[in-house]
Amino acid sequence: MEATGTDEVEKIKSKFMSAWHNMKYSWVLKTKTYFSRNSPVFLLGKCYRLQTDGMYVLSTDGSSFEQVNREISGNVEEFRKDFISRIWLTYREEFPQIKGSALTTDCGWGCTLRTGQMLLAQGLMLHFLGRAWVWPDALDVDSSESESWTAHTVKKLTASFEASLTAEREPKLLANQQHQAVKRNCGDSEMRNEVYHRKIISWFGDCPLAAFGLHQLIEHGKKAGKAAGDWYGPAVVAHILRKAVEEARDPELQGVTVYVAQDCTVYSSDVIDRQCSLLDSGKADTKAVIILVPVRLGGERTNMDYLEFVKGILSLEYCVGIIGGKPKQSYYFAGFQDDSLIYMDPHYCQSFVDVSIKDFPLESFHCPSPKKMSFKKMDPSCTIGFYCRTVQDFEKASEEITKMLKSSSKEKYPLFTFVKGHSRDYDFASSPLREERDFFSEDEKKRLKRFSTEEFVLL
């Protein structure tokens, strides 16, 4: 009886904490984002000119751009559709318990892992769907509730408390069930895209078996000395993503590999070796590569001299975004306008979605509202991501990025470099074969320990 009573107390405590997290992280989508009519907007290599006769603002529910002066023209809708089509991964609650802990939510500590997931998801979308793909239902996505966030949170708090007292689990309602029941008539190409759209999201599901879900990332992080509830920085997350892709067993993922730059250096031969490695089936074919480059954009604060370089990176077709943020908060940067970065915010608590069920709701995996932040507020620690489908794409990308690095660098040394040859030729790092046997080499462990102490503290 005593044990049962303790369990009930823990359940009630868990319910209150979940409700508190939802209240604390429910305001994220409820602020307005202003864009200028005079400047182009860049989003992951695409440029949009938002032609208006005045300022405009994204509405509170994310469903439309509210007019400030005159009617909006140009390709505002195309920008909205493109942005909403990107995969958005946020805090979740009430998911299956993480192995080795009592945690059933990542609220307050998992934001950098979430931004890493978003970057990887963008790479996979490029690989399977292409950059031109947009979700047909993107403009149907509204913010989480049409009611105010305060009313929504109070209702959730009340419901959680009542469910705790009655020892009943709050029923989970699938979003837009009626909408899901009505299927569109679509062609083979659209059907294929819908299958891959859902499949990519399912790889990031919050369950132990999802290849890139939080549970698997935590398991990989343990080999780097990290545990559920710890702070994760952009450099550590880059290595965790590399290991997660290497160990993914889905045949669809065998054509993708991840390379993490060492000491701000990309060794071209190491990248090409990864791209030309045999598939598990023994078939010789070129793999696509996602290149992750952990860097620092300054010392204590971000150096404004790097602004043009970051903007240049986000305007490249190869870019899959930046894992970064500002002190105490991690964001996924996907674009810019003028001197402000456009990002998706993972600090929004949503309920667990079972991605194993057929036609699981997609709405909570797409952000209806872009956010903007001044570049000068950005924390200097970040990880930049690129996607190259072929060896030729990598060679072309390395040439373009090298030119950009040289033109943007006012110092003697650029932010990072592309070097011909293998890392072992320079005696700086272990060979790729050793990396396969050991998650992190001793040198990598030392670097990661240094990164962990330098990177920003997460909420």
Side-chain angles (χ1 to χ4, degrees):
M1 289 295 293
E2 183 177 350
T4 302
T6 302
D7 290 342
E8 289 301 317
V9 170
E10 288 300 315
K11 288 180 181 179
I12 294 173
K13 181 179 177 181
S14 176
K15 288 288 185 181
F16 268 115
M17 287 304 297
S18 293
W20 163 246
H21 283 144
N22 196 280
M23 178 170 64
K24 184 176 181 180
Y25 299 113
S26 288
W27 57 270
V28 171
L29 297 182
K30 304 303 178 179
T31 56
K32 295 182 178 181
T33 303
Y34 291 84
F35 289 84
S36 168
R37 67 181 176 87
N38 297 318
S39 304
V41 175
F42 284 84
L43 182 68
L44 296 168
K46 281 196 172 186
C47 177
Y48 294 92
R49 295 193 177 275
L50 310 177
Q51 301 298 327
T52 71
D53 290 328
M55 295 288 290
Y56 66 88
V57 57
L58 193 70
S59 64
T60 302
D61 64 1
S63 62
S64 65
F65 281 84
E66 296 174 350
Q67 296 176 205
V68 177
N69 290 326
R70 299 185 185 178
E71 184 178 354
I72 300 164
S73 59
N75 54 2
V76 173
E77 292 302 296
E78 285 80 1
F79 167 67
R80 288 192 60 239
K81 207 169 188 180
D82 190 4
F83 178 84
I84 294 172
S85 296
R86 302 312 104 202
I87 292 177
W88 181 43
L89 298 157
T90 72
Y91 288 155
R92 296 278 175 171
E93 62 176 350
E94 298 179 352
F95 53 61
Q97 187 171 313
I98 296 176
K99 183 179 178 181
S101 77
L103 293 169
T104 58
T105 178
D106 63 318
C107 284
W109 59 270
C111 55
T112 311
L113 289 171
R114 295 299 188 183
T115 56
Q117 286 180 319
M118 285 188 264
L119 183 146
L120 179 58
Q122 176 60 20
L124 295 176
M125 289 176 76
L126 286 181
H127 185 69
F128 292 105
L129 297 172
R131 185 62 185 90
W133 177 85
V134 291
W135 184 31
D137 295 337
L139 297 183
D140 296 332
V141 174
D142 293 328
S143 197
S144 60
E145 298 285 345
S146 58
E147 60 187 320
S148 70
W149 72 267
T150 306
H152 167 65
T153 305
V154 170
K155 287 182 180 180
K156 189 169 183 65
L157 179 63
T158 303
S160 296
F161 181 60
E162 291 175 349
S164 301
L165 293 179
T166 58
E168 294 177 357
R169 187 177 182 81
E170 182 181 358
K172 294 186 181 298
L173 300 178
L174 297 180
N176 263 339
Q177 284 181 323
Q178 292 182 346
H179 175 73
Q180 292 290 342
V182 180
K183 291 291 184 178
R184 297 186 312 273
N185 293 323
C186 53
D188 292 341
S189 177
E190 191 171 347
M191 284 290 290
R192 173 197 173 277
N193 290 342
E194 183 178 350
V195 168
Y196 274 111
H197 179 199
R198 288 184 173 277
K199 182 173 289 188
I200 292 170
I201 290 176
S202 71
W203 286 329
F204 294 90
D206 294 304
C207 58
L209 297 180
F212 311 127
L214 199 71
H215 296 70
Q216 283 292 335
L217 298 185
I218 294 298
E219 286 300 306
H220 296 310
K222 288 179 181 178
K223 299 172 186 177
K226 295 291 184 178
D230 285 353
W231 298 326
Y232 293 75
V236 174
V237 169
H239 286 275
I240 290 174
L241 294 177
R242 170 177 64 85
K243 193 61 177 177
V245 172
E246 286 175 359
E247 296 199 355
R249 289 293 165 258
D250 193 312
E252 296 273 14
L253 293 167
Q254 298 309 302
V256 183
T257 186
V258 171
Y259 172 88
V260 180
Q262 303 171 45
D263 294 325
C264 299
T265 305
V266 178
Y267 295 94
S268 297
S269 295
D270 288 344
V271 175
I272 294 172
D273 284 352
R274 282 185 172 273
Q275 288 188 275
C276 296
S277 58
L278 290 175
L279 304 181
D280 285 356
S281 62
K283 179 182 177 182
D285 198 4
T286 302
K287 294 183 179 182
V289 63
I290 297 172
I291 300 170
L292 303 178
V293 187
V295 296
R296 282 191 69 87
L297 303 175
E300 292 296 319
R301 296 181 180 179
T302 295
N303 188 335
M304 290 299 292
D305 289 341
Y306 291 121
L307 171 60
E308 293 305 316
F309 171 73
V310 171
K311 290 164 67 172
I313 289 296
L314 291 169
S315 66
L316 290 176
E317 60 180 301
Y318 309 104
C319 182
V320 291
I322 299 174
I323 305 170
K326 60 183 181 181
K328 298 185 180 182
Q329 289 183 317
S330 182
Y331 300 143
Y332 169 62
F333 296 114
F336 69 92
Q337 184 182 51
D338 295 325
D339 293 347
S340 294
L341 298 173
I342 297 171
Y343 65 92
M344 285 195 283
D345 194 342
H347 302 87
Y348 183 64
C349 185
Q350 302 191 87
S351 297
F352 165 71
V353 173
D354 186 354
V355 297
S356 67
I357 65 174
K358 185 179 180 181
D359 294 334
F360 62 87
L362 296 168
E363 289 76 14
S364 66
F365 296 100
H366 292 278
C367 181
S369 178
K371 311 287 288 184
K372 287 175 68 179
M373 183 190 85
S374 172
F375 176 78
K376 64 184 178 181
K377 294 182 180 180
M378 183 179 180
D379 191 277
S381 294
C382 62
T383 290
I384 301 170
F386 307 98
Y387 168 86
C388 299
R389 186 178 294 274
T390 65
V391 172
Q392 291 73 26
D393 285 344
F394 166 67
E395 292 173 342
K396 182 180 177 182
S398 61
E399 290 178 6
E400 289 187 26
I401 297 168
T402 296
K403 290 178 182 177
M404 188 180 298
L405 284 163
K406 288 180 179 178
S407 64
S408 65
S409 177
K410 295 182 179 179
E411 304 295 333
K412 184 177 179 181
Y413 301 103
L415 194 59
F416 63 93
T417 60
F418 287 84
V419 175
K420 293 186 181 299
H422 297 89
S423 58
R424 60 176 177 266
D425 299 335
Y426 299 85
D427 295 324
F428 288 150
S430 59
S431 68
L433 289 177
R434 181 179 172 186
E435 287 184 3
E436 292 295 327
R437 293 192 299 267
D438 187 17
F439 183 47
F440 294 124
S441 67
E442 290 303 316
D443 287 343
E444 285 178 317
K445 289 176 182 176
K446 291 177 182 177
R447 285 197 298 273
L448 289 175
K449 185 176 181 181
R450 184 177 74 248
F451 272 124
S452 295
T453 58
E454 291 176 351
E455 286 170 341
F456 52 80
V457 177
L458 307 182
L459 284 178

